[in-house]
Structures are given as C-alpha cells and as structure tokens.
Amino acid sequence: MAAAATNPPTSPKPAMRDSLIAAAFQLFLERGYEQTTVDDIVTLAGVGRRSFFRYFPSKEDVVFPDHDQCLDDMTRFLAASADSDDPMVRVCGAARLVMRMYAENPTFSVQRYRLTREVAGLRAYELSVVWRYEKTLGDYLRTRWADRRDGTLRANVAAAAVVAAHNHALRHWLRSGGEGEPFEEVDRALEFVRATWSPDAPGAAAGDTAAEEDGDVVVVITKRSTPMWRVVREVESSLGEG
Amino acid sequence: MAAAATNPPTSPKPAMRDSLIAAAFQLFLERGYEQTTVDDIVTLAGVGRRSFFRYFPSKEDVVFPDHDQCLDDMTRFLAASADSDDPMVRVCGAARLVMRMYAENPTFSVQRYRLTREVAGLRAYELSVVWRYEKTLGDYLRTRWADRRDGTLRANVAAAAVVAAHNHALRHWLRSGGEGEPFEEVDRALEFVRATWSPDAPGAAAGDTAAEEDGDVVVVITKRSTPMWRVVREVESSLGEG
DNA sequence: CTTCGTGCGGCACTCGGTGCCGGTTCATTC
DNA sequence: GAATGAACCGGCACCGAGTGCCGCACGAAG
C-alpha cells in the first residue's frame, strides 16, 4: 500500500524494506508515530529488530523512504545541464522532480503529510530532507553563477526561493488531499520565482503544451503565458533526456 | 565564558544554567560533541543529571541557549510594526536582530559555528531553529500581504529569501572568525533581497547614518546608497522603539 | 515550631541506535 | 558433489538520551 518508488536495477530485492515500510505506516496511522516503537514494527513485519536498522538508519527514515532516490535524480538532472539553458529554468525543472515524486503516490504522500504535521520530530527531520534539496540547487546555481557579481549570494537566495515556492505549492496540493492537478499550482509558483530571479525575462507561451519530434527538430505548440521552463522541459523530454 | 544573553527580569538566577552551558562547551571543544555525554557535563558542572534536563529539553538545546530569547525579540519587534512601514523593510530589521545576537558574543558564536559544521546532528537541529525564524517572518508577511494577489506565496518566498540572505552573510562573518564588521555583509545581502521583493524601489541614502532627536521630529543625515531599512531603523531607535 | 512551596538529586525505566557474533542461504570453485 | 566464501538475517548485550517519580533540603510565611 505504501511502497516506495524503487526501480529494479537499483535494488533487486526490496521485499523486506517494503514490508517494513508498510508495517510502519500501518502502525503509525493506528496509534501514532511516537506511540509506535521499532519493536512493534519489526514484530508486525515478522523480521528481526536488527534488520530494521539495516534498511533505515533511524526510525524517522522509514517515513521518508523515497527522498534519497529523488535527490539522486535531481543531482543527475542538474549534472546533465547544458551551458546554454537558463540556470533558473533548470532549477525549476529540478524542483518539479520532487513534486512529481509526491504526485506518484498521492495517498501515501497525504498520509505522510498528516503525520509530519502532527509529530514535531518528523517535521524537524523533514527540514533536513528539504535542506539537502536546497543545498543541491544552491550548489548548481553557484557554479553557474560563479563569474557573476554576488554569485553565491544570488545562488543561495534563489535556491531558497525555489524551494519555498515548491513547498508552498506542494503543501497546497497535500492539503487538498491529493486531489486536483498536482502541477498546476507548483508551475505557477515556480514561474513566479523564476520571473523574479532569471536575468532575462522571456515573454513565453503556454497553457497546455504539445511537442512533436521530427529528427532533431522539435516543434512545440503551446499557449501564450505558459511558464517558459515548462516549454523547455517539454522540448528536453522530447529529445529524450531524463 | 559562554553565557547566554539573559536579562535579569526574565530569569533571576540562571547560575546553574550558565554553569551547565560553560561546562558543556568546554567538553565539546575538548573531545567533541558526540564524545561528550550528559553525565560528563553534569559531573563537570557539579550538579545532578536530572537538573540538566530541567534547563534544557535536549542535549542539542545547550548549544543554542539564546535563540528562544531572540525569537521572542523578533516576534515583539514584528508585532510593534506600524501599517505605514514597508513590510520587507520591517522583516529585514527583524533578521538583523538575529545577526546582532550572534555579534554580541563573537567567540561563542564562532565556536558554535565550528561545532555545528562538524556534527551532523547539530546541523539538523539548527535547521529547526532557523525554521522558526522563517515561519515568524512568513506569518508577519502573510498578514501584511493578506489582501495582495498571491500574498501567501509571496510571503513564504520572501521570508525564505530573507533568511537565506541573512544566513549567507552570517556564515561569511563566522568563517572570518568573528573579525570584521558584522553588519556590513548582512546589510548588503538584506538590501539585495529587499530591493527585489519590495514593491516600491526607494532610491535611498546612506553609508553611515546619524540621527538627531528634536521632540517628535527626527532629522537623519546619511549618505546616498545606504539601505533604506537601515535608515528606518535609525529613525525608530531614535524614537525609542526597542 | 510548623507548614508549604520550590528546587535539586537520585533512582528506575523506556526506547532509539550500535557492535558483535553465530547461523542460514546461495553461488562459486575445485 | 563437497568445500569455500560472501551476503543476509536474527539475537543478543550494551550505550546513551530522555522521562516519571519520589525524597530531601532549604527558605518563606503562618
């Protein structure tokens, strides 16, 4: 019910890991996080206590099982960046990866959201998770703006702004119970910060976007007012990139 | 050596609390944070183990003894805001309170900075501290921009930007070992984000600022290019506002 | 002198987390 | 087919953070 998004090549046998996650969330939703001990989880999962800490370095980690993978995806996505594209557009696309991960399992994401809202310890742990994303985005912007005046300051502030905008939209979607279009709000929010931090202001087009491949040429048909970076992403995905 | 800034009215007898902080930092600097147990601290301080947790809810809290007070100061500072002043200017002034707290004890701040850089657990705890500041700033901006389009989004993003800019300058100062003028960098960074987020762009004056009181009239003499909010702060302090 | 509130110390206990060891399984190798 | 070795797993024993509870000492008020 609450399995993480793990692809076969990375982990061939995550059976025990998944069963631990399932058992943990079942108990967390029943009695609450703090009222559930690790012994309760391993007993329900039918495994040894020692095995829990083999798969999760701490009790909090079982609540955020998919963020490590997502952070890797983001790192690779940024590493695959070209010098030609707008750094802010790239960073917004990276933030979109996180939203996509949440949107893949709406019920799981909403359950976790309600847990983290109630338990202070989980909220604190979530901050460290978010911080890793922000650091990754900031490192990327820092290298891209290395020659720029106040490059590191701009990078840190812009990364924080992107993360804040993403989380704003994410929480909006989570509060709605995972109904509604996940990317609608996050696109608006990301475009908002992109427009204020991107040096050039492209008056782009959009709304719904459609792309047709033809060799190396990509034809994009879209409505005016679509976020520019969303158009860029459409072109990139059409060219077969991540 | 490492006492927190506690004023007499709030805590008349923080003798044991201060001795615990001193003992803790002495041991932290000698053997490191994780190599020091709470028993070691209370033994050195000559008090009972139970008393430690009376003054500090967790072992991490002894590293950040002054942030509770600073958060209160910030909350009051924002609550004393008038509808007439620019919200972003006010928020930058609030962030400056944090920098001021760090600058009051440079050696202590630098020691703590080196500790938090090495110990992952302290870094995670620091995030929750920073998050409280960001939430406080965000709440203030949210109410000030309640009628504005995308007010909450703007508030969240702007608060994150202010915090990021402040932390950027703060770390810069801490890395320098607490030498140099503390407010020089933070003023530049805060003015940077204020200029991008404040609706109106005041071409203010400054550099060094001097104010003379004369009844209710405040005469400010300053150089061009001084951050506007710094001028505002000067006027406020001249009018006798915390 | 008594009494009551407060602050402190000293248990005893729970629970998260780690190191270590022994057993099982499975694939490799002769 | 049997021996070998690497992984994986379970079961301790142990450490340290954090909590609840009780008893004691001290000082102020009656």
Side-chain angles (χ1 to χ4, degrees):
Chain A
M1 171 190 291
T6 51
N7 21 12
T10 56
S11 48
K13 283 184 181 180
M16 174 172 282
R17 181 182 153 94
D18 287 352
S19 66
L20 280 171
I21 296 173
F25 268 83
Q26 177 181 336
L27 293 174
F28 291 165
L29 296 177
E30 283 179 14
R31 339 174 181 172
Y33 177 80
E34 288 165 325
Q35 283 69 38
T36 303
T37 68
V38 176
D39 294 88
D40 297 334
I41 299 172
V42 297
T43 301
L44 180 59
V47 301
R49 166 183 163 83
R50 199 64 184 81
S51 294
F52 180 91
F53 292 103
R54 273 187 240 276
Y55 286 93
F56 306 98
S58 76
K59 186 186 172 189
E60 288 105 340
D61 282 291
V62 79
V63 183
F64 306 92
D66 38 11
H67 280 281
D68 282 331
Q69 176 68 28
C70 188
L71 188 67
D72 287 351
D73 293 346
M74 177 184 285
T75 304
R76 278 195 302 273
F77 177 81
L78 292 176
S81 169
D83 289 357
S84 58
D85 47 27
D86 186 345
M88 280 301 287
V89 173
R90 195 75 184 173
V91 161
C92 287
R96 223 178 113 103
L97 293 178
V98 180
M99 184 68 213
R100 192 184 67 178
M101 181 203 69
Y102 276 86
E104 275 177 359
N105 289 56
T107 61
F108 176 69
S109 297
V110 171
Q111 286 174 353
R112 169 166 59 187
Y113 172 66
R114 300 200 175 127
L115 264 181
T116 56
R117 286 226 319 180
E118 293 168 0
V119 183
L122 290 180
R123 228 170 28 230
Y125 189 85
E126 193 182 32
L127 289 176
S128 69
V129 174
V130 172
W131 178 82
R132 292 193 304 176
Y133 289 120
E134 184 172 330
K135 173 172 169 51
T136 302
L137 298 180
D139 289 344
Y140 169 77
L141 290 178
R142 205 165 2 257
T143 62
R144 292 300 307 270
W145 290 341
D147 54 346
R148 198 163 173 174
R149 172 179 159 82
D150 281 329
T152 66
L153 172 60
R154 295 186 76 97
N156 290 338
V157 173
V162 167
V163 168
H166 168 274
N167 286 343
H168 169 84
L170 171 62
R171 284 195 298 269
H172 177 83
W173 178 74
L174 288 171
R175 273 195 297 266
S176 78
E179 320 280 337
E181 175 57 32
F183 293 99
E184 186 177 332
E185 189 80 5
V186 81
D187 285 355
R188 280 187 57 250
L190 288 175
E191 172 58 21
F192 176 71
V193 298
R194 191 213 59 78
T196 67
W197 285 106
S198 214
D200 43 357
D208 287 354
T209 310
E212 289 185 14
E213 304 182 43
D214 182 18
D216 277 347
V217 180
V218 176
V219 180
V220 177
I221 303 168
T222 180
K223 296 187 201 160
R224 193 172 295 271
S225 87
T226 291
M228 187 56 182
W229 63 267
R230 190 168 177 178
V231 179
V232 172
R233 259 196 73 80
E234 193 66 31
V235 177
E236 286 173 350
S237 63
S238 296
L239 289 174
E241 164 170 346
Chain B
M1 171 191 287
T6 52
N7 20 12
T10 57
S11 48
K13 283 184 180 178
M16 175 173 279
R17 181 182 153 94
D18 287 351
S19 66
L20 281 170
I21 296 173
F25 270 82
Q26 177 181 337
L27 293 175
F28 291 163
L29 296 176
E30 284 179 16
R31 339 173 182 171
Y33 177 80
E34 288 164 326
Q35 283 68 38
T36 304
T37 69
V38 176
D39 295 87
D40 297 334
I41 299 172
V42 297
T43 301
L44 180 59
V47 300
R49 165 185 165 80
R50 199 64 183 81
S51 295
F52 180 90
F53 292 104
R54 271 187 240 278
Y55 287 94
F56 305 99
S58 75
K59 185 185 172 190
E60 288 105 339
D61 282 291
V62 80
V63 184
F64 306 93
D66 38 10
H67 280 280
D68 282 329
Q69 176 68 28
C70 187
L71 187 67
D72 287 351
D73 293 346
M74 176 184 286
T75 303
R76 277 195 304 272
F77 177 80
L78 293 176
S81 170
D83 291 357
S84 58
D85 47 29
D86 186 345
M88 280 302 288
V89 172
R90 195 74 184 172
V91 161
C92 288
R96 225 178 111 104
L97 293 179
V98 181
M99 184 67 213
R100 192 185 66 178
M101 182 202 69
Y102 277 86
E104 276 178 359
N105 290 56
T107 61
F108 176 68
S109 297
V110 170
Q111 286 174 353
R112 169 166 60 188
Y113 172 66
R114 300 202 174 127
L115 264 183
T116 56
R117 285 225 321 180
E118 293 168 358
V119 183
L122 290 180
R123 228 170 29 228
Y125 189 86
E126 193 182 32
L127 289 176
S128 68
V129 175
V130 173
W131 179 82
R132 294 192 304 176
Y133 290 120
E134 183 172 331
K135 173 170 170 52
T136 302
L137 298 179
D139 289 344
Y140 170 77
L141 289 178
R142 204 164 5 255
T143 62
R144 292 299 308 268
W145 291 341
D147 54 346
R148 197 163 174 175
R149 173 179 157 81
D150 281 330
T152 66
L153 172 60
R154 294 185 78 98
N156 290 339
V157 174
V162 167
V163 168
H166 169 274
N167 286 343
H168 169 84
L170 172 61
R171 284 194 298 268
H172 176 83
W173 178 73
L174 288 171
R175 274 196 297 266
S176 78
E179 319 280 337
E181 175 58 31
F183 293 100
E184 185 176 334
E185 188 80 5
V186 81
D187 285 356
R188 279 186 58 249
L190 287 177
E191 172 58 21
F192 176 71
V193 299
R194 191 214 58 79
T196 67
W197 285 105
S198 216
D200 44 357
D208 288 354
T209 310
E212 289 186 13
E213 303 182 41
D214 183 16
D216 277 347
V217 180
V218 176
V219 180
V220 177
I221 304 167
T222 178
K223 295 188 201 158
R224 193 172 296 271
S225 84
T226 290
M228 187 56 181
W229 63 266
R230 191 166 177 180
V231 179
V232 171
R233 260 193 73 78
E234 193 67 31
V235 176
E236 285 173 349
S237 63
S238 295
L239 289 174
E241 164 170 345

